[in-house]
Amino acid sequence: MENWGQWLGWLGAMALVWAMAPHQVRDIRRICLGAGVLAVAYFALVHGFGAGLALSVAFTLVNAGRLFELRQRARSGVMTREERELFDHVMKIEEPSQQSRLRDLMVWQDVPVGTTLIKQGQIDPPLIYIASGRAEIERDLAIVSECGAGEFLGEMSHVSGERASATVTVTQEMRMARLDRDALGQLAKSLPEVGKAVDRAFNRSLAVKVLRMNESAR
């Protein structure tokens, strides 16, 4: 039993080191909570009741409380289903304060069929997130692809600084968010972890588009 306890102690120590790697506060709290549980098991098996066990229990309870608080803060924010999907599953940003900063940069709107969102050659085209609906992508008067829920528009121009490479027209009534390009750039500089999360979301969206175009070209 004591050997098992020693292993639990080592695992707990390794978990604490690992907790320094993530950028998201919630991830850090989760790992610390796991380390605390391992520490409680270690002291209970190896040393029995004492100061070490009491401190481990306190450490675990504090992290559990903070994790619960983060969860409640995220849930208490008045967010729409579309915003929750964007932050939790598309951008994967969990920190409530960071979500709030991003919400301030977005304007939601419903767009009817036939609306042109972006024109080929447009300078600084809008940066758009599609929550629902569909649009066709046209280049040099030929339809080359389409896009839909969970994807971005204008992300390539946002990253490269080039003009829009295609025209995008709504083909199915759309619910979308328009993001402030300049403000998003400033936010990414002041909060690098947000910038990285946004870049990963853009890259995934671009990868989906490239894969779809390759399949349609076969």
Side-chain angles (χ1 to χ4, degrees):
M1 187 66 70
E2 185 172 338
N3 289 336
W4 276 105
Q6 296 292 348
W7 276 107
L8 290 171
W10 278 107
L11 289 173
M14 291 169 63
L16 284 176
V17 174
W18 182 28
M20 299 300 102
H23 294 289
Q24 298 290 342
V25 174
R26 187 177 298 185
D27 290 339
I28 294 173
R29 289 295 183 187
R30 284 171 176 165
I31 298 172
C32 284
L33 178 62
V37 171
L38 290 170
V40 169
Y42 164 74
F43 282 105
L45 291 173
V46 177
H47 298 286
F49 184 79
L53 179 60
L55 289 173
S56 298
V57 171
F59 177 83
T60 303
L61 291 176
V62 167
N63 276 283
R66 293 300 186 187
L67 190 59
F68 179 77
E69 181 182 340
L70 283 174
R71 185 180 179 85
Q72 291 302 106
R73 283 170 56 194
R75 287 177 175 270
S76 64
V78 183
M79 287 193 183
T80 64
R81 178 180 57 81
E82 293 91 350
E83 289 172 332
R84 181 61 59 199
E85 176 70 19
L86 173 59
F87 294 136
D88 286 353
H89 302 295
V90 178
M91 290 186 172
K92 300 183 179 181
I93 295 175
E94 299 179 333
E95 175 59 40
S97 63
Q98 295 174 0
Q99 293 178 348
S100 179
R101 295 281 295 275
L102 280 168
R103 288 181 71 196
D104 293 339
L105 311 183
M106 300 161 55
V107 177
W108 288 89
Q109 59 187 110
D110 296 308
V111 185
V113 174
T115 302
T116 299
L117 301 175
I118 297 175
K119 291 184 178 180
Q120 185 173 350
Q122 182 177 349
I123 299 175
D124 294 334
L127 181 57
I128 293 169
Y129 166 72
I130 303 173
S132 62
R134 298 201 71 78
E136 64 180 17
I137 301 174
E138 179 183 309
R139 183 178 299 145
D140 298 329
L141 303 180
I143 298 175
V144 295
S145 187
E146 61 178 0
C147 53
E151 297 180 53
F152 292 90
L153 298 172
E155 74 275 37
M156 185 178 295
S157 296
H158 176 73
V159 173
S160 67
E162 301 292 331
R163 298 183 180 218
S165 60
T167 296
V168 182
T169 305
V170 177
T171 56
Q172 185 182 88
E173 187 173 356
M174 182 178 292
R175 176 70 173 166
M176 69 174 216
R178 188 184 295 260
L179 290 85
D180 187 318
R181 291 165 50 104
D182 295 333
L184 181 61
Q186 292 298 321
L187 180 62
K189 290 180 181 178
S190 61
L191 294 174
E193 61 273 25
V194 172
K196 291 178 181 178
V198 171
D199 286 343
R200 287 193 293 267
F202 286 171
N203 289 335
R204 286 193 294 269
S205 180
L206 287 170
V208 169
K209 291 177 183 175
V210 170
L211 180 61
R212 187 184 296 126
M213 290 178 65
N214 289 340
E215 289 178 346
S216 63
R218 292 176 182 175

